Amino acid sequence: MNTFLVELATRLMDRWLTALVAPGLLWIAVLVSATRLGQTTPFELDRLSDWLVWLTRQPALQTTAVAILLAVTVVLAAGVVGLLAGALGGLAERWWGLLGVLPPAAWLLAARRRRWDGAARRLRGAILQAAELGARGADTARADALALRRQRQCDRLGPARPVRPTRIGDRYARTAERVRRVNGLDDLALVWPRLWTVLPDSLRTEIAAARVGTGDAARLFGWGTLYLALSACWWPAALLGTAIFAVATGRARSTSENLSALIETAVDLHSADLSERLGLPAASSQVAAGQAITDQLRGTSSRDDARASD
Protein backbone atom coordinates (compact mmCIF):
# COMPACT_ATOMS: atom_id res chain seq x y z
CA MET A 1 0.00 0.00 0.00
CA ASN A 2 2.80 2.42 0.84
CA THR A 3 4.45 1.76 -2.52
CA PHE A 4 1.15 2.41 -4.31
CA LEU A 5 0.61 5.70 -2.45
CA VAL A 6 4.15 6.85 -3.18
CA GLU A 7 3.72 6.01 -6.88
CA LEU A 8 0.37 7.82 -6.98
CA ALA A 9 1.81 10.90 -5.29
CA THR A 10 4.73 10.89 -7.72
CA ARG A 11 2.45 10.74 -10.74
CA LEU A 12 0.23 13.50 -9.38
CA MET A 13 3.27 15.66 -8.70
CA ASP A 14 4.62 15.05 -12.20
CA ARG A 15 1.30 15.98 -13.76
CA TRP A 16 1.00 19.06 -11.52
CA LEU A 17 4.46 20.22 -12.56
CA THR A 18 3.88 19.46 -16.24
CA ALA A 19 0.35 20.79 -16.64
CA LEU A 20 0.35 23.73 -14.23
CA VAL A 21 3.70 24.86 -12.88
CA ALA A 22 5.91 24.67 -15.99
CA PRO A 23 3.51 26.63 -18.26
CA GLY A 24 2.81 28.99 -15.35
CA LEU A 25 6.52 29.72 -14.93
CA LEU A 26 6.76 30.52 -18.64
CA TRP A 27 3.76 32.86 -18.40
CA ILE A 28 5.24 34.63 -15.38
CA ALA A 29 8.52 35.06 -17.27
CA VAL A 30 6.63 36.63 -20.18
CA LEU A 31 4.70 38.82 -17.72
CA VAL A 32 7.90 40.12 -16.14
CA SER A 33 9.42 40.72 -19.57
CA ALA A 34 6.29 42.50 -20.75
CA THR A 35 6.21 44.86 -17.78
CA ARG A 36 9.90 45.72 -18.23
CA LEU A 37 9.85 46.16 -22.02
CA GLY A 38 6.49 47.88 -22.51
CA GLN A 39 4.68 48.79 -25.70
CA THR A 40 7.10 51.36 -27.07
CA THR A 41 10.28 49.22 -26.80
CA PRO A 42 8.98 45.65 -27.13
CA PHE A 43 12.25 44.14 -28.39
CA GLU A 44 14.96 46.04 -26.52
CA LEU A 45 16.28 43.05 -24.65
CA ASP A 46 19.21 45.04 -23.29
CA ARG A 47 16.84 46.79 -20.92
CA LEU A 48 15.62 43.44 -19.63
CA SER A 49 19.13 42.03 -19.23
CA ASP A 50 20.29 45.17 -17.42
CA TRP A 51 17.37 44.90 -15.03
CA LEU A 52 18.14 41.24 -14.34
CA VAL A 53 21.77 42.07 -13.59
CA TRP A 54 20.67 44.84 -11.23
CA LEU A 55 18.25 42.43 -9.54
CA THR A 56 20.88 39.77 -8.91
CA ARG A 57 23.11 42.36 -7.24
CA GLN A 58 20.55 43.27 -4.59
CA PRO A 59 21.84 42.37 -1.11
CA ALA A 60 18.50 40.90 -0.02
CA LEU A 61 18.68 38.28 -2.77
CA GLN A 62 22.12 37.11 -1.72
CA THR A 63 20.80 35.30 1.37
CA THR A 64 19.72 31.67 1.02
CA ALA A 65 16.48 32.08 2.98
CA VAL A 66 15.24 34.94 0.79
CA ALA A 67 16.18 33.09 -2.38
CA ILE A 68 14.31 29.97 -1.27
CA LEU A 69 11.28 32.03 -0.23
CA LEU A 70 11.27 33.83 -3.57
CA ALA A 71 11.53 30.53 -5.47
CA VAL A 72 8.67 28.96 -3.51
CA THR A 73 6.54 32.07 -4.08
CA VAL A 74 7.18 31.99 -7.81
CA VAL A 75 6.33 28.27 -8.03
CA LEU A 76 3.10 28.77 -6.07
CA ALA A 77 2.19 31.74 -8.25
CA ALA A 78 2.83 29.60 -11.34
CA GLY A 79 0.52 26.93 -9.94
CA VAL A 80 -2.20 29.52 -9.34
CA VAL A 81 -1.82 30.80 -12.91
CA GLY A 82 -2.08 27.20 -14.13
CA LEU A 83 -5.29 26.72 -12.16
CA LEU A 84 -6.66 29.91 -13.70
CA ALA A 85 -5.83 28.59 -17.18
CA GLY A 86 -7.62 25.35 -16.31
CA ALA A 87 -10.69 27.29 -15.16
CA LEU A 88 -10.72 29.25 -18.42
CA GLY A 89 -10.38 25.94 -20.26
CA GLY A 90 -13.45 24.66 -18.41
CA LEU A 91 -15.36 27.70 -19.66
CA ALA A 92 -14.17 26.89 -23.19
CA GLU A 93 -15.55 23.36 -22.87
CA ARG A 94 -18.89 24.73 -21.69
CA TRP A 95 -18.87 27.11 -24.64
CA TRP A 96 -18.40 24.19 -27.04
CA GLY A 97 -21.55 22.55 -25.68
CA LEU A 98 -23.84 25.59 -25.83
CA LEU A 99 -27.04 25.23 -27.83
CA GLY A 100 -26.92 28.68 -29.40
CA VAL A 101 -30.23 29.87 -28.00
CA LEU A 102 -29.08 33.02 -26.20
CA PRO A 103 -26.64 35.72 -27.32
CA PRO A 104 -23.76 35.78 -28.04
CA ALA A 105 -23.89 32.06 -28.89
CA ALA A 106 -27.01 32.65 -30.99
CA TRP A 107 -25.21 35.34 -32.97
CA LEU A 108 -22.28 33.04 -33.67
CA LEU A 109 -24.62 30.23 -34.75
CA ALA A 110 -26.46 32.60 -37.10
CA ALA A 111 -23.15 33.79 -38.60
CA ARG A 112 -21.95 30.22 -39.12
CA ARG A 113 -25.23 29.31 -40.79
CA ARG A 114 -25.02 32.31 -43.12
CA ARG A 115 -21.50 31.32 -44.15
CA TRP A 116 -22.49 27.70 -44.69
CA ASP A 117 -25.66 28.61 -46.62
CA GLY A 118 -23.64 30.95 -48.84
CA ALA A 119 -21.04 28.27 -49.54
CA ALA A 120 -23.76 25.68 -50.27
CA ARG A 121 -25.51 28.11 -52.61
CA ARG A 122 -22.29 28.79 -54.52
CA LEU A 123 -21.65 25.04 -54.73
CA ARG A 124 -25.10 24.40 -56.19
CA GLY A 125 -24.53 27.18 -58.72
CA ALA A 126 -21.20 25.72 -59.79
CA ILE A 127 -22.70 22.23 -60.16
CA LEU A 128 -25.59 23.56 -62.24
CA GLN A 129 -23.19 25.51 -64.44
CA ALA A 130 -21.10 22.40 -65.07
CA ALA A 131 -24.23 20.38 -65.83
CA GLU A 132 -25.49 23.00 -68.31
CA LEU A 133 -22.16 23.11 -70.10
CA GLY A 134 -22.11 19.32 -70.28
CA ALA A 135 -25.62 19.24 -71.69
CA ARG A 136 -24.57 21.62 -74.47
CA GLY A 137 -21.51 19.52 -75.25
CA ALA A 138 -19.10 22.27 -74.19
CA ASP A 139 -15.83 21.83 -72.33
CA THR A 140 -16.61 21.48 -68.61
CA ALA A 141 -13.03 21.35 -67.26
CA ARG A 142 -13.07 24.86 -65.78
CA ALA A 143 -16.61 24.45 -64.46
CA ASP A 144 -15.70 21.13 -62.85
CA ALA A 145 -12.63 22.68 -61.23
CA LEU A 146 -14.78 25.52 -59.89
CA ALA A 147 -17.33 23.06 -58.50
CA LEU A 148 -14.55 21.08 -56.82
CA ARG A 149 -13.17 24.27 -55.28
CA ARG A 150 -16.63 25.23 -54.03
CA GLN A 151 -17.04 21.74 -52.56
CA ARG A 152 -13.80 22.08 -50.63
CA GLN A 153 -14.86 25.48 -49.32
CA CYS A 154 -18.13 24.01 -48.12
CA ASP A 155 -16.37 21.03 -46.52
CA ARG A 156 -14.08 23.35 -44.55
CA LEU A 157 -17.17 24.88 -42.96
CA GLY A 158 -18.54 21.49 -41.90
CA PRO A 159 -20.19 18.40 -43.36
CA ALA A 160 -23.69 19.72 -42.66
CA ARG A 161 -25.54 22.92 -41.83
CA PRO A 162 -24.42 24.10 -38.36
CA VAL A 163 -26.69 23.37 -35.42
CA ARG A 164 -24.36 24.65 -32.66
CA PRO A 165 -22.25 27.79 -32.33
CA THR A 166 -18.96 25.86 -32.73
CA ARG A 167 -17.62 23.08 -34.96
CA ILE A 168 -16.90 20.98 -31.87
CA GLY A 169 -20.46 21.41 -30.66
CA ASP A 170 -21.68 20.29 -34.09
CA ARG A 171 -19.60 17.12 -33.76
CA TYR A 172 -21.06 16.31 -30.38
CA ALA A 173 -24.55 17.01 -31.70
CA ARG A 174 -23.99 14.63 -34.62
CA THR A 175 -22.92 11.94 -32.17
CA ALA A 176 -26.09 12.39 -30.11
CA GLU A 177 -28.21 12.35 -33.28
CA ARG A 178 -26.52 9.21 -34.62
CA VAL A 179 -26.95 7.39 -31.32
CA ARG A 180 -30.62 8.33 -31.32
CA ARG A 181 -31.20 7.34 -34.94
CA VAL A 182 -29.10 4.17 -35.11
CA ASN A 183 -29.19 2.89 -31.53
CA GLY A 184 -32.50 4.27 -30.28
CA LEU A 185 -30.88 6.08 -27.32
CA ASP A 186 -32.47 9.51 -27.30
CA ASP A 187 -30.87 10.49 -23.98
CA LEU A 188 -27.19 9.64 -24.12
CA ALA A 189 -26.41 11.59 -20.94
CA LEU A 190 -28.80 9.33 -19.01
CA VAL A 191 -27.53 6.07 -20.51
CA TRP A 192 -23.79 6.79 -20.56
CA PRO A 193 -22.97 6.30 -16.82
CA ARG A 194 -24.62 2.84 -16.92
CA LEU A 195 -23.05 1.97 -20.25
CA TRP A 196 -19.62 2.90 -18.91
CA THR A 197 -19.80 0.11 -16.33
CA VAL A 198 -20.14 -2.59 -18.99
CA LEU A 199 -17.37 -1.39 -21.30
CA PRO A 200 -14.14 -3.40 -21.45
CA ASP A 201 -11.08 -1.89 -19.81
CA SER A 202 -9.28 -1.31 -23.10
CA LEU A 203 -12.11 0.80 -24.51
CA ARG A 204 -12.57 2.69 -21.26
CA THR A 205 -8.86 3.51 -21.28
CA GLU A 206 -9.07 4.87 -24.82
CA ILE A 207 -12.13 6.97 -24.03
CA ALA A 208 -10.53 8.33 -20.85
CA ALA A 209 -7.38 9.24 -22.78
CA ALA A 210 -9.46 11.01 -25.44
CA ARG A 211 -11.33 12.88 -22.71
CA VAL A 212 -8.04 13.96 -21.13
CA GLY A 213 -6.85 15.14 -24.54
CA THR A 214 -9.99 17.23 -24.94
CA GLY A 215 -9.42 18.79 -21.53
CA ASP A 216 -5.79 19.56 -22.40
CA ALA A 217 -6.89 21.24 -25.63
CA ALA A 218 -9.40 23.32 -23.68
CA ARG A 219 -6.67 24.31 -21.21
CA LEU A 220 -4.65 25.59 -24.17
CA PHE A 221 -7.52 27.98 -24.88
CA GLY A 222 -7.12 29.19 -21.32
CA TRP A 223 -3.41 29.81 -21.82
CA GLY A 224 -4.14 31.64 -25.05
CA THR A 225 -6.53 33.93 -23.19
CA LEU A 226 -3.93 34.67 -20.52
CA TYR A 227 -1.31 35.52 -23.13
CA LEU A 228 -3.76 37.78 -24.94
CA ALA A 229 -4.31 39.59 -21.64
CA LEU A 230 -0.57 40.40 -21.55
CA SER A 231 -0.91 42.28 -24.84
CA ALA A 232 -2.32 45.18 -22.81
CA CYS A 233 1.25 45.97 -21.71
CA TRP A 234 3.29 44.19 -24.44
CA TRP A 235 1.76 43.84 -27.89
CA PRO A 236 3.86 40.81 -29.10
CA ALA A 237 1.95 38.76 -26.51
CA ALA A 238 -1.05 39.01 -28.86
CA LEU A 239 0.94 37.04 -31.44
CA LEU A 240 1.70 34.37 -28.86
CA GLY A 241 -1.95 34.19 -27.81
CA THR A 242 -3.13 33.92 -31.41
CA ALA A 243 -0.65 31.11 -32.14
CA ILE A 244 -1.77 29.23 -29.02
CA PHE A 245 -5.41 29.65 -30.04
CA ALA A 246 -4.63 28.22 -33.49
CA VAL A 247 -2.89 25.18 -31.99
CA ALA A 248 -5.67 24.72 -29.43
CA THR A 249 -8.35 24.85 -32.13
CA GLY A 250 -6.64 22.13 -34.16
CA ARG A 251 -6.15 19.92 -31.12
CA ALA A 252 -9.69 20.46 -29.87
CA ARG A 253 -11.23 19.48 -33.19
CA SER A 254 -9.01 16.40 -33.45
CA THR A 255 -9.61 15.21 -29.90
CA SER A 256 -13.35 15.87 -30.04
CA GLU A 257 -13.57 13.88 -33.27
CA ASN A 258 -11.70 11.01 -31.65
CA LEU A 259 -13.81 11.15 -28.49
CA SER A 260 -17.07 11.23 -30.44
CA ALA A 261 -16.01 8.28 -32.60
CA LEU A 262 -15.09 6.26 -29.51
CA ILE A 263 -18.43 7.03 -27.87
CA GLU A 264 -20.27 5.91 -30.98
CA THR A 265 -18.17 2.74 -31.03
CA ALA A 266 -18.94 2.03 -27.38
CA VAL A 267 -22.67 2.41 -27.97
CA ASP A 268 -22.63 0.28 -31.14
CA LEU A 269 -20.71 -2.58 -29.59
CA HIS A 270 -21.97 -2.68 -26.00
CA SER A 271 -25.51 -1.31 -25.80
CA ALA A 272 -26.69 -4.93 -26.07
CA ASP A 273 -24.55 -5.78 -23.03
CA LEU A 274 -26.26 -3.04 -21.06
CA SER A 275 -29.66 -4.30 -22.14
CA GLU A 276 -28.74 -7.76 -20.91
CA ARG A 277 -27.47 -6.41 -17.59
CA LEU A 278 -30.74 -4.54 -17.11
CA GLY A 279 -32.66 -7.77 -17.67
CA LEU A 280 -34.58 -6.48 -20.66
CA PRO A 281 -36.15 -8.94 -23.13
CA ALA A 282 -34.70 -9.34 -26.60
CA ALA A 283 -35.91 -6.63 -28.99
CA SER A 284 -36.73 -6.85 -32.65
CA SER A 285 -34.10 -4.27 -33.64
CA GLN A 286 -31.25 -2.22 -32.22
CA VAL A 287 -33.42 0.88 -32.19
CA ALA A 288 -36.14 -0.88 -30.23
CA ALA A 289 -33.54 -2.20 -27.78
CA GLY A 290 -32.19 1.32 -27.24
CA GLN A 291 -35.66 2.71 -26.69
CA ALA A 292 -36.32 -0.01 -24.12
CA ILE A 293 -33.10 0.92 -22.30
CA THR A 294 -33.98 4.60 -22.07
CA ASP A 295 -37.57 3.81 -21.00
CA GLN A 296 -36.25 1.51 -18.28
CA LEU A 297 -33.76 4.07 -16.96
CA ARG A 298 -36.26 6.89 -17.03
CA GLY A 299 -38.72 4.80 -15.08
CA THR A 300 -36.06 3.98 -12.49
CA SER A 301 -35.08 7.61 -12.20
CA SER A 302 -38.66 8.78 -11.78
CA ARG A 303 -39.33 6.23 -9.02
CA ASP A 304 -36.15 7.25 -7.22
CA ASP A 305 -37.17 10.91 -7.42
CA ALA A 306 -40.60 10.08 -6.03
CA ARG A 307 -39.06 8.18 -3.11
CA ALA A 308 -36.66 11.02 -2.41
CA SER A 309 -39.51 13.53 -2.33
CA ASP A 310 -41.43 11.32 0.11
Side-chain angles (χ1 to χ4, degrees), residues 279-291:
L280 298 175
S284 58
S285 65
Q286 192 171 11
V287 173
Q291 292 172 347

Side-chain angles (χ1 to χ4, degrees), residues 130-155:
E132 290 175 358
L133 290 175
R136 295 199 300 266
D139 184 12
T140 62
R142 295 184 59 184
D144 291 339
L146 177 61
L148 181 60
R149 189 163 60 250
R150 297 301 188 192
Q151 179 66 60
R152 290 173 178 171
Q153 293 173 355
C154 195
D155 291 340

Side-chain angles (χ1 to χ4, degrees), residues 74-157:
V74 171
V75 170
L76 291 177
V80 171
V81 174
L83 291 175
L84 178 58
L88 293 174
L91 293 178
E93 288 192 272
R94 294 190 63 181
W95 170 258
W96 297 340
L98 290 179
L99 298 177
V101 178
L102 299 175
W107 302 335
L108 181 58
L109 176 58
R112 293 189 66 229
R113 283 178 171 173
R114 284 195 298 270
R115 289 185 62 195
W116 197 91
D117 290 342
R121 184 168 55 253
R122 290 189 292 270
L123 173 60
R124 288 194 297 269
I127 293 175
L128 289 176
Q129 181 182 4
E132 290 175 358
L133 290 175
R136 295 199 300 266
D139 184 12
T140 62
R142 295 184 59 184
D144 291 339
L146 177 61
L148 181 60
R149 189 163 60 250
R150 297 301 188 192
Q151 179 66 60
R152 290 173 178 171
Q153 293 173 355
C154 195
D155 291 340
R156 283 196 294 268
L157 297 177

Side-chain angles (χ1 to χ4, degrees), residues 13 15-29 70-88 219 223 226:
M13 181 62 68
R15 179 161 181 80
W16 182 70
L17 291 173
T18 303
L20 299 180
V21 175
L25 289 174
L26 180 59
W27 186 87
I28 289 176
L70 180 61
V72 171
T73 302
V74 171
V75 170
L76 291 177
V80 171
V81 174
L83 291 175
L84 178 58
L88 293 174
R219 191 179 298 108
W223 285 115
L226 292 179

Side-chain angles (χ1 to χ4, degrees), residues 157-206:
L157 297 177
R161 193 170 189 263
V163 295
R164 297 289 176 87
T166 64
R167 288 276 298 271
I168 298 173
D170 280 342
R171 185 61 183 93
Y172 292 155
R174 288 199 302 273
T175 294
E177 174 60 22
R178 182 189 181 280
V179 168
R180 183 198 64 79
R181 177 172 46 83
V182 175
N183 306 103
L185 302 177
D186 58 357
D187 193 345
L188 183 59
L190 174 66
V191 176
W192 182 253
R194 284 83 170 179
L195 181 62
W196 179 262
T197 62
V198 303
L199 297 181
D201 292 339
S202 58
L203 184 54
R204 284 197 289 187
T205 300
E206 292 186 21

